[in-house]
Amino acid sequence: MANPRLIASTSAIAILALAPAPAFAQDFENSEAAETSENEILVTDRRAYRGDFEPLEVPQIDQVIDQDLLREANALDLNQALDLSASVARQNNFGGLWNAFSVRGFSGDINLPSGYLVNGFNAGRGFGGPRDLAGIEAVEVLKGPRSALYGRGEPGGTVNLVTKRPGFETSGYVQFQGGSFDFYRGDVDLQTTLGDNLGVRLVGFYEDAGSFRETVETERYGFYPSITANLGEDTRATYEFEYTAQDIPFDRGVVFSDTFGFSPRRTFTGEPGDGPIETEVTGHQFEVQHDFSDNWSLLTGIGYRETSLVGNASENNFGGRQLYLRDGDTITRFFRFRDFDSEYFVARAELAGEFETGALRHRLIFGADYDRFENSLFILRFRPPFVPADADLSTLDPATYLSLSASNPVYGQFPIPTPGPNTDRNEVLKGFGFYVQDQIEITDRLQIRVGGRFDDFEQDLTNLRATPATTTSAQSDRFSPQVGAVYQIDDGVSLYASYGEGFRQQTGSDFEGNQFAPNITESAEFGAKLDLGAYSDSVNGIITLTFFQVDQSNILNNDDRPEAVAAGFFLFTAGEARSRGIEFDANLDFESGFNLFLSYAYTDADYLNTTLDESGFGATIEAGDPLINSPDRQLSILASQEFNIAQMPAQFGGGLLHVGERNGFAGFDFDLPAYTTLRAFAELEVAEGFVLRADVDNIFNETFYTNSFADVWVQPGAPRSFRATARYSF
């Protein structure tokens, strides 16, 4: 059989050679220009799927968390960046081993990290550990129906990471940070040119950190070089390399009991002797952009990414096996060994440009993409038996249940158990899609957008535990339409509405080996945008107000049926849900030096149907039950003021994050409490290019919990902490 990577790569090259000319999507906001000895080189990287539109022309909300906001928040990883968007909520993060989030109440595939894009490439899947922000220029939260272009994104919206690329100049910075809980980190970002037509950028980081959780230590490092070559006046190629390695203890968090409350947040409930989970990711992206004219250009690219995750973990046990629920101190655990691997290949080509038909102006995007995702999961497990309801707890053998005292933990009491077979499977998901979008300017004030995407998916799931190994296959296809309209009242105000449908594969199978039906999403929104810069020279920025509704079917949930529990941890198709809400966002810069970023969301995300448990055991999800980890209200504020102290530039600011009450265990009456945290920072440029900074997070030392999977897997937030930063830029 022909190699799909070769086929896709050859197709992309053929399209590049033969297609007419598109004009790429406008660079996200950071086009840079640099002069050579003879002429000026204008660097305008185009981003896939975007098109050439002003913010008030787009019938959707694009929330850009740019480099200035990331710096003000001192955000180091993707979770911290996404906390700035009230539309995004944290989900179960697999013991701290990956990023998991929901947008507008809906999370993605809970078998895998949440999907996100990197420069338009699907890159969120895999097992490379939580995403660091080294090498990231901006985080974009692209809300609402994106099916006409992205197709396989998350139901409530799409997160896209914009990487740092060479800017055809010599500049950079080095930075060191130290803080509470033995936190130490160094970053470097250097860029230069080799001749007039080759730009090079080198980005890297190293981090060694302790934690407020006893015995928990992490080590991370990454290297992200990139090269951009001008291959002529109209053609540019960019290559980016990604390598990240992380050693992370598997931390399922704390345990909750109705009688005894939460176990202490300082107590690590795993075993330091298990060692860390080791994750690694190696990635490549290559893009070629060619401008055929001022109106048309073409973008082609390929990406390849390998990830791995391996290690031991002692994890908090469930239900009748969890003694903390009975005595409020004894945490009982089970043991797993994991060895996960993934390979991800993507190829794409996109033509973009504009033309006129009579009095109508068209801005067209047409493209095709292919991806192949292969993941291998190998798990061994040791699990203690149920504890009878009438058992004398004092007579139970602690070694059998891997017991640990929550109030006075003593680690290393028991040898690592010998686990037995649990999961051994290999899954290959392949998808081909093509899409088209046309935004038509009807009048100077009115524009409409029409588009659609066709996807064809294949899925092969091999159970290597079976003798002989068995493979099940599935195929599905679907057309996803999108329509929208924008009416611009004047230069500073526009009204918009849009509707779109989505279609997404789901990985894995139920305990009987049946593959899951794909997610189907219908999404609609309408709102208003206000550009304050159109009315005043003293303020620049955009305010948006949005009303939305998202319906989704075939949602996966934990399977508590006895036969599923006996076979391991499995999921089942839970049914249908709806999310409705209101969002208000503002990102304003004042001439006085005051900056304000505000994001508020009210989200009502509930199941629409009742999913009955026929065995009468475990959870029954009823119509009206809330979606897990979806707060009804969320608010994020980041404000700062720039000024001078003895002619030295300075900045002072702070932030607030409020997360409302939310369900913490699907189908059960367990809620995570609402919380509000405050933070502050101050920085001073003591010499040209040399900045000192101080941060304090969780100023009032609030005890809070960020997300959970169940009442025995709850992630606690960090207590009050401090960081000091020294940065030299040139």
Side-chain angles (χ1 to χ4, degrees), residues 114-328:
S114 292
Y116 57 81
L117 307 176
V118 177
N119 300 326
F121 284 96
N122 284 305
R125 296 189 287 187
F127 312 107
R131 179 79 193 207
D132 198 272
L133 290 184
I136 300 301
E137 184 74 27
V139 177
E140 301 176 328
V141 181
L142 311 176
K143 305 178 189 179
R146 305 280 169 160
S147 56
L149 301 186
Y150 304 110
R152 295 183 278 278
E154 301 301 345
T158 301
V159 172
N160 181 50
L161 309 185
V162 179
T163 59
K164 295 180 176 179
R165 292 180 171 180
F168 285 90
E169 63 181 11
T170 298
S171 62
Y173 71 86
V174 291
Q175 177 175 282
F176 176 77
Q177 298 187 63
S180 302
F181 315 117
D182 296 322
F183 172 83
Y184 302 99
R185 178 182 170 107
D187 288 85
V188 61
D189 180 358
L190 308 173
Q191 64 178 349
T192 189
T193 58
L194 301 177
D196 292 339
N197 294 305
L198 189 66
V200 178
R201 192 162 190 168
L202 303 175
V203 180
F205 82 99
Y206 176 81
E207 179 179 307
D208 187 357
S211 169
F212 67 98
R213 306 272 288 160
E214 294 175 347
T215 78
V216 171
E217 298 179 357
T218 61
E219 183 182 26
R220 320 170 193 258
Y221 54 92
F223 181 52
Y224 315 100
S226 58
I227 300 173
T228 294
N230 288 316
L231 305 180
E233 184 177 348
D234 301 314
T235 305
R236 182 167 62 258
T238 299
Y239 168 75
E240 298 180 79
F241 177 76
E242 172 194 4
Y243 178 79
T244 309
Q246 308 187 58
D247 290 349
I248 312 169
F250 195 96
D251 186 359
R252 283 297 192 186
V254 302
V255 181
F256 175 81
S257 162
D258 288 330
T259 303
F260 305 104
F262 291 97
S263 61
R265 65 178 175 179
R266 69 178 184 279
T267 300
F268 173 55
T269 59
E271 274 292 335
D274 291 340
I277 299 290
E278 298 177 356
T279 70
E280 187 177 55
V281 55
T282 303
H284 310 266
Q285 285 191 15
F286 178 71
E287 287 186 354
V288 177
Q289 173 181 323
H290 179 72
D291 298 332
F292 295 94
S293 68
D294 291 339
N295 292 333
W296 289 94
S297 58
L298 178 72
L299 177 66
T300 64
I302 58 175
Y304 179 71
R305 201 166 187 257
E306 293 180 303
T307 72
S308 64
L309 181 156
V310 61
N312 298 322
S314 297
E315 307 177 45
N316 309 336
N317 227 325
F318 278 80
R321 294 181 172 90
Q322 182 52 257
L323 295 184
Y324 182 87
L325 305 179
R326 303 194 194 186
D327 69 5

Side-chain angles (χ1 to χ4, degrees), residues 75-82 90 99 130-133 220:
L76 301 178
D77 60 43
L78 183 56
N79 284 336
Q80 294 170 348
L82 293 179
R90 296 198 189 194
N99 298 108
R131 179 79 193 207
D132 198 272
L133 290 184
R220 320 170 193 258

Side-chain angles (χ1 to χ4, degrees), residues 346-654:
V346 184
R348 71 166 187 231
E350 180 177 289
L351 177 71
E354 65 175 75
F355 61 94
E356 294 181 358
T357 58
L360 303 180
R361 178 192 180 200
H362 299 258
R363 278 176 282 183
L364 183 72
I365 301 174
F366 174 79
D369 54 37
Y370 169 87
D371 63 49
R372 182 182 186 276
F373 178 62
E374 179 175 359
N375 73 90
S376 299
L377 307 179
F378 178 76
I379 305 174
L380 301 176
R381 184 185 67 175
F382 167 79
R383 186 168 64 159
F386 283 100
V387 180
D390 58 353
D392 182 353
L393 303 186
S394 64
T395 65
L396 299 179
D397 181 6
T400 300
Y401 293 91
L402 304 179
S403 299
L404 181 77
S405 170
S407 59
N408 186 28
V410 179
Y411 300 105
Q413 299 181 73
F414 318 115
I416 294 178
T418 302
N422 180 244
T423 300
D424 189 1
R425 79 181 189 212
N426 184 77
E427 186 172 26
V428 179
L429 300 96
K430 293 178 286 188
F432 170 77
F434 63 88
Y435 55 90
V436 62
Q437 175 184 285
D438 186 10
Q439 183 144 332
I440 306 168
E441 188 174 305
I442 307 297
T443 70
D444 292 340
R445 299 296 185 188
L446 177 64
Q447 299 183 47
I448 62 171
R449 175 178 289 188
V450 293
R453 178 184 178 103
F454 177 81
D455 283 296
D456 190 315
F457 292 119
E458 295 180 13
Q459 181 180 25
D460 296 312
L461 181 63
T462 302
N463 181 7
L464 299 172
R465 280 192 62 188
T467 307
T470 60
T471 299
T472 57
S473 299
Q475 187 276 336
S476 55
D477 58 69
R478 186 178 176 90
F479 177 75
S480 302
Q482 183 189 45
V483 295
V486 179
Y487 183 76
Q488 197 157 340
I489 296 175
D490 58 27
D491 291 342
V493 178
S494 68
L495 305 177
Y496 77 92
S498 61
Y499 169 84
E501 297 179 8
F503 174 72
R504 188 188 53 172
Q505 278 177 304
Q506 302 196 93
T507 65
S509 66
D510 63 19
F511 76 96
E512 296 177 315
N514 301 312
Q515 290 166 292
F516 301 121
N519 274 141
I520 305 296
T521 303
E522 297 182 11
S523 183
E525 65 179 86
F526 66 92
K529 301 181 182 183
L530 170 64
D531 184 355
L532 293 182
Y535 304 108
S536 173
D537 294 332
S538 63
V539 60
N540 183 47
I542 293 179
I543 298 174
T544 62
L545 176 65
T546 310
F547 300 83
F548 67 86
Q549 176 174 303
V550 185
D551 289 354
Q552 188 186 166
S553 60
N554 298 329
I555 301 171
L556 299 181
N557 231 307
N558 188 47
D559 194 340
D560 285 321
R561 291 174 291 182
E563 57 268 38
V565 172
F569 289 110
F570 284 90
L571 303 170
F572 74 112
T573 303
E576 302 175 355
R578 169 175 293 164
S579 171
R580 289 175 170 170
I582 303 172
E583 297 165 334
F584 179 81
D585 298 309
N587 188 0
L588 306 176
D589 299 321
F590 292 83
E591 190 177 25
S592 63
F594 180 71
N595 308 302
L596 175 66
F597 178 88
L598 185 150
S599 182
Y600 170 80
Y602 169 79
T603 306
D604 181 15
D606 301 324
Y607 286 98
L608 296 177
N609 66 324
T610 297
T611 304
L612 297 177
D613 182 348
E614 296 178 358
S615 68
F617 176 84
T620 298
I621 297 175
E622 298 180 347
D625 282 353
L627 296 181
I628 189 170
N629 290 310
S630 178
D632 56 354
R633 292 173 177 83
Q634 193 159 317
L635 171 66
S636 179
I637 300 175
L638 182 62
S640 67
Q641 177 67 53
E642 300 171 11
F643 55 97
N644 289 314
I645 298 178
Q647 297 184 334
M648 294 183 292
Q651 187 176 27
F652 174 79

